[in-house]
């Protein structure tokens, strides 16, 4: 797993999370080499794109996994390669939108019937 996620412009982790390599065990003489070779399933995303703390969009990381489809048997070749890895991913940022006011409404009536000191209002919305 990732110990520290990148933040504030730091470099993202990229690469396998796990490694494997072939090994040899002593086989009885009765084994033959016509066994079943190991095969993997296709890579699948494990969860969603994880962004640095406090970020809503931009570059993040996603863990991908693949499972063994067919394990080696009867002397077949073992699977070689990774079963988990971390890749870079992107969560699109929405286009910025500027605040826009509506047009002003019509002026309302004056709040005094005669003379000065009255007030009238109009409104607008976002």
């Amino acid at each position: 797993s990732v110990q520290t996620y990148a933040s504030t412009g730091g470099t993202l982790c990229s690469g396998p999370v796990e490694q494997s390599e072939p090994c040899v065990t002593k086989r009885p003489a009765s084994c033959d080499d016509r066994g079943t070779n190991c095969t993997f399933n296709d890579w699948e995303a494990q969860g969603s794109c994880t962004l640095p703390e406090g970020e809503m969009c931009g570059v993040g990381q996603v863990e991908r996994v693949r499972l063994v489809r067919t394990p080696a048997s009867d002397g077949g070749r073992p699977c070689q390669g990774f079963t988990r890895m971390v890749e870079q991913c992107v969560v699109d940022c929405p286009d910025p939108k500027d605040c826009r006011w509506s047009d002003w409404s019509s002026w309302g009536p004056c709040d005094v019937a005669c003379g000065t000191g009255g007030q009238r209002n109009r409104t607008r919305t976002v």
Side-chain angles (χ1 to χ4, degrees):
S1 66
V2 175
Q3 284 187 326
T4 305
Y5 285 95
S7 64
T8 61
T11 303
L12 295 171
C13 296
S14 180
V17 176
E18 179 178 279
Q19 292 183 325
S20 63
E21 65 178 21
C23 59
V24 177
T25 56
K26 293 183 178 181
R27 297 184 296 141
S30 62
C31 291
D32 62 25
D33 290 330
R34 293 180 292 198
T36 302
N37 294 332
C38 178
T39 59
F40 285 115
N41 286 328
D42 292 333
W43 287 103
E44 296 180 16
Q46 185 72 22
S48 59
C49 189
T50 302
L51 297 170
E53 189 172 335
E55 296 294 324
M56 302 288 288
C57 60
V59 179
Q61 298 175 154
V62 64
E63 185 174 353
R64 294 175 58 84
V65 297
R66 63 179 177 175
L67 302 175
V68 172
R69 177 184 298 145
T70 308
S73 63
D74 299 325
R77 288 188 311 243
C79 282
Q80 294 184 22
F82 312 113
T83 56
R84 296 172 51 192
M85 64 191 270
V86 174
E87 289 184 331
Q88 187 172 312
C89 56
V90 176
V91 175
D92 291 332
C93 296
D95 291 334
K97 293 186 190 250
D98 296 330
C99 177
R100 290 187 50 189
W101 289 103
S102 68
D103 291 336
W104 286 103
S105 66
S106 298
W107 284 104
C110 189
D111 63 357
V112 295
C114 297
T116 61
Q119 186 173 335
R120 64 182 187 166
N121 298 310
R122 67 180 182 173
T123 60
R124 64 181 179 173
T125 60
V126 174

